[in-house]
Amino acid sequence: MKKRWALSVLLMSIFVGSASAKSISVQVIQNLPGQEKVWDATRVFEQGVIDYYFYEGNIVSNSPIWINSTESENRGALGAALIENYDGGMEYLVRFELFFRIANSTNPNAPLLENIEKVEWKIYYTESGQVIKSGSGTPAKKVFDNNNEAAISQFAALMAKNASSQLKK
């Protein structure tokens, strides 16, 4: 009898835990005029965001990284991502747009945190396509002491955490 009760409690906790999971799709936009390829810094940032949401217990997917282009192409990419994610059963689309500063960079092509000027994010409800919340952030200057992929991942997790906190409201 004790084993059956313990199994029931375990199954109930798994069910309750999964019931509170959110389904989130991530799309990262690389805003770097004139660049035609996805930079490593952008890929590292995307992975850091996905990892954060996954380890928080969410169901996570991603749409392809988008390189910022004309306004109509950007709207088209957003529309396609919303439809794709709604059809796939995802509740939220969180878009992170990375803006770069490379004029004074020690190595503009490398995945360095110093190359990221700021990040803007928007959370969309996939069913309606409406923006629910938005925000932005910049890497702290003191973080540049660790000017590497790990620092980009930490910054990505911080941005994901900031966006995630808005989903709880």
Side-chain angles (χ1 to χ4, degrees), residues 69-89:
S69 57
T70 67
E71 190 61 36
S72 64
E73 288 176 336
N74 290 338
R75 277 195 307 273
L78 171 60
L82 287 167
I83 290 168
E84 168 190 296
N85 286 294
Y86 178 72
D87 289 347

Side-chain angles (χ1 to χ4, degrees), residues 16 20 29 35 51 61 104 109 117 127 131 151 153 156 163 169:
V16 170
S20 66
I29 296 99
Q35 184 64 332
D51 289 348
S61 72
N104 298 324
N109 296 317
E117 179 180 3
E127 184 175 16
V131 175
S153 292
K169 293 182 177 182

Side-chain angles (χ1 to χ4, degrees), residues 28-33 39-43 45 97-103 108 110 112-118 152:
V28 175
I29 296 99
Q30 177 176 282
N31 192 326
L32 186 60
W39 278 21
D40 288 341
T42 305
R43 292 184 198 284
F45 184 91
E97 186 167 3
L98 276 69
F99 295 84
F100 290 85
R101 67 167 152 245
I102 55 172
L112 302 175
L113 185 60
E114 74 180 26
N115 293 341
I116 300 174
E117 179 180 3
K118 70 177 179 176
I152 293 172

Side-chain angles (χ1 to χ4, degrees), residues 115-135:
N115 293 341
I116 300 174
E117 179 180 3
K118 70 177 179 176
V119 173
E120 294 178 354
W121 52 265
K122 290 182 181 176
I123 302 171
Y124 296 84
Y125 188 58
T126 60
E127 184 175 16
S128 65
Q130 297 297 309
V131 175
I132 299 170
K133 298 285 183 176
S134 62

